[in-house]
Amino acid sequence: MQTVEANVRHSLEIGGVSTDKLVEEYGTPLMVYDEGMIRRNARAFRSAFESSELDFQVAYASKAFLCKEMARLANEEALSLDVVSGGELYTALEAGFPAARIHFHGNNKSEEELAMALDAEIGCFVVDNFLELEMLHDLASKRNQEVSILLRVTPGVEAHTHEYIMTGQEDSKFGFGLSNGQAETAIQIAARKPQYKLLGIHSHIGSQMFGTEGFDQAIQILTGFVYQMNKKYGLALPVLNVGGGFGVRYTEDDQPLTISEYVTAISESVKKHYTTHELPYPEVWIEPGRSMVAEAGTTLYKVGSKKIIPDLRTYITVDGGMTDNIRPALYQARYQAMLANRPDEDSTELVSVAGKCCESGDMLIWDLMLPPTNYGDILAVFSTGAYGYSMASNYNRIPRPAVVFADKGESRVVIERETYEDLVRKDQ
Ligand SMILES: *Cc1c(COP(=O)(O)O)cnc(C)c1O
């Protein structure tokens, strides 16, 4: 890529395809995934578990990014799939994803969604609350269907980016509290219900975690609970699902561990605590979302208007914004970017990157060094692959961008760009 002739325009490449070519072929804004990177991530999770010699499932948390092609990729890479709604379930089934490897999450699954998942005979329901515990069983009884379930519990450990904290209150909308006895009550109810096959417990303690101490704390608490349920009620609880939340790099300030380091820490922790309690090793399930797809995604925008406020700030505006990436507005998320069409030029201008929506909060990046920008330059914003397109909206009636997979010099559309006709399709 560095050896191009002087008269050949040189641009950033993704999956071996030049961004010039991608923009020419598909337009902007454009979401481009390096497909090979997603596959390498999937393999890294699986191979680290294989070295641990524990039984495992790696369930991709599809809310991070899902379309039919992503579900097919997850299937090809032998992942399981977490869904949290009828819509995600429908997408997975339409893509031919094996129902037996689908896990259904969510704190308010409707009767229709539960019925749909029962019809499909999905592999596991992660039961979140007492209403669901009754409703799912009633539906399963009527069908005389056996259902595998995990119970989602809140271990009282809350993990954040840099540290974890122990919370006494377990103040969360998700799951059954361990310390207040609700998890034990739920276990007793589940164990008595004939259609239920109670596989074990689940917890998800946070997101964008850079350390592993939170996992170790949670696993210690979960193991203690499994031990008690084993002693008191003779329950085996063969599956331990420790959730997702592995950190990724959005900017240089983010220093995540490698996938293999996360998995190794989790498997060591499980072995340690299960050995202490003299329990047989469980099958360990994890649920990476962000860490599977975030860094594989890049958004390409066309630079438009520029507003220079002397001695204050220079705004450059791109042809997308909070409609395709709401994370900066929602979480003050930070991103790195560069000019894809002039990647080697020195960055000498301090700018802030605005979106085109009618909201002052529609900013993508504050204070970014770029080469002097012109109308028509292509801005590549990195690590946009998770919770970007999946949170996209049609605010201001802006059509959602196209999504492309690029790999080994080839690219293909996996989600078509929305059209204006799409925008009025449901209007009466
Ligand atoms: C969101 C979520 C995940 C994935 O979290 P990431 O931070 O994207 O890895 C996994 N499990 C559950 C239950 C979730 O809600």
Side-chain angles (χ1 to χ4, degrees):
M1 165 171 153
Q2 300 300 334
T3 57
V4 286
E5 293 167 46
N7 62 344
V8 176
R9 262 181 87 200
H10 161 213
S11 77
L12 179 74
E13 285 187 5
I14 302 170
V17 188
S18 84
T19 48
D20 278 358
K21 201 169 150 210
L22 289 166
V23 166
E24 194 183 305
E25 196 165 344
Y26 307 110
T28 58
L30 185 69
M31 207 35 263
V32 187
Y33 281 92
D34 179 338
E35 183 187 353
M37 189 186 288
I38 306 177
R39 292 185 188 275
R40 286 193 297 279
N41 290 340
R43 288 169 201 176
F45 276 111
R46 290 184 47 83
S47 74
F49 265 122
E50 274 153 15
S51 326
S52 81
E53 292 180 355
L54 290 169
D55 292 327
F56 67 92
Q57 280 191 43
V58 176
Y60 169 56
S62 71
K63 68 183 182 197
F65 170 67
L66 184 64
C67 63
K68 284 159 68 174
E69 191 63 5
M70 184 61 211
R72 288 181 204 114
L73 184 158
N75 183 28
E76 284 162 17
E77 296 300 334
L79 301 174
S80 300
L81 202 71
D82 275 6
V83 299
V84 297
S85 70
E88 288 181 355
L89 175 59
Y90 183 81
T91 306
L93 295 172
E94 282 288 297
F97 196 92
R101 297 208 313 274
I102 296 177
H103 308 159
F104 198 175
H105 271 280
N107 66 317
N108 190 26
K109 305 175 188 80
S110 70
E111 214 172 315
E112 292 73 22
E113 287 173 319
L114 292 173
M116 182 181 169
L118 285 169
D119 285 345
E121 302 185 356
I122 65 160
C124 184
F125 292 77
V126 184
V127 175
D128 180 275
N129 55 71
F130 290 110
L131 173 70
E132 185 184 347
L133 203 52
E134 297 299 329
M135 201 194 277
L136 176 61
H137 193 265
D138 287 349
L139 291 169
S141 295
K142 281 186 200 132
R143 294 151 186 261
N144 201 18
Q145 195 173 338
E146 187 180 68
V147 188
S148 291
I149 64 167
L150 293 178
L151 295 181
R152 178 165 184 165
V153 304
T154 48
V157 177
E158 205 182 319
H160 296 283
T161 298
H162 293 289
E163 82 282 2
Y164 67 91
I165 51 171
M166 304 288 296
T167 53
Q169 295 308 101
E170 302 179 335
D171 185 358
S172 160
K173 75 169 183 174
F174 296 109
F176 300 99
L178 274 187
S179 65
N180 63 15
Q182 292 184 339
E184 180 165 348
T185 305
I187 291 258
Q188 289 176 288
I189 295 171
R192 278 199 305 266
K193 291 201 182 283
Q195 307 306 127
Y196 279 156
K197 188 172 160 198
L198 178 58
L199 296 183
I201 52 174
H202 163 280
S203 90
H204 173 69
I205 56 172
S207 204
Q208 184 64 349
M209 280 183 268
F210 292 146
T212 57
E213 305 82 6
F215 282 112
D216 188 52
Q217 274 293 326
I219 290 166
Q220 178 171 12
I221 293 165
L222 297 173
T223 311
F225 180 69
V226 169
Y227 175 80
Q228 283 175 29
M229 297 304 100
N230 185 271
K231 284 286 159 278
K232 276 189 168 167
Y233 311 112
L235 295 170
L237 305 179
V239 171
L240 186 72
N241 187 330
V242 301
F246 315 106
V248 303
R249 182 189 296 254
Y250 289 104
T251 72
E252 285 144 3
D253 296 342
D254 300 325
Q255 302 287 344
L257 301 176
T258 63
I259 285 172
S260 128
E261 284 169 330
Y262 283 115
V263 172
T264 305
I266 285 170
S267 41
E268 291 305 314
S269 170
V270 167
K271 286 178 184 171
K272 179 179 73 184
H273 296 300
Y274 273 69
T275 302
T276 306
H277 287 90
E278 296 179 359
L279 290 165
Y281 290 157
E283 182 170 316
V284 179
W285 295 5
I286 59 166
E287 309 177 312
R290 187 190 313 272
S291 51
M292 200 69 83
V293 291
E295 291 181 41
T298 303
T299 310
L300 302 177
Y301 298 102
K302 192 170 123 178
V303 174
S305 63
K306 190 171 195 171
K307 174 177 179 179
I308 302 168
I309 311 174
D311 304 321
L312 191 58
R313 186 181 294 283
T314 296
Y315 288 92
I316 62 168
T317 307
V318 295
D319 55 354
M322 64 190 287
T323 41
D324 56 83
N325 187 358
I326 201 172
R327 294 188 68 258
L330 197 58
Y331 311 118
Q332 285 84 49
R334 294 175 58 233
Y335 287 91
Q336 238 156 24
M338 66 183 276
L339 284 191
N341 54 320
R342 290 186 277 129
D344 295 331
E345 223 163 280
D346 288 341
S347 294
T348 53
E349 207 172 81
L350 182 67
V351 299
S352 291
V353 182
K356 64 178 280 155
C357 295
C358 289
E359 291 286 330
S360 295
D362 178 26
M363 294 295 297
L364 288 172
I365 304 177
W366 294 99
D367 297 330
L368 169 73
M369 290 301 294
L370 287 180
T373 51
N374 302 311
Y375 173 73
D377 276 335
I378 300 301
L379 186 76
V381 179
F382 299 114
S383 298
T384 57
Y387 307 106
Y389 192 91
S390 67
M391 288 188 172
S393 76
N394 289 128
Y395 180 54
N396 289 167
R397 291 239 150 178
I398 293 172
R400 287 182 181 78
V403 183
V404 164
F405 276 11
D407 190 35
K408 301 188 186 88
E410 307 278 343
S411 66
R412 65 186 194 283
V413 174
V414 299
I415 307 178
E416 277 180 29
R417 180 179 304 284
E418 280 181 340
T419 63
Y420 291 140
E421 295 79 66
D422 290 330
L423 295 175
V424 296
R425 186 146 292 145
K426 302 291 179 193
D427 294 7
Q428 297 299 304

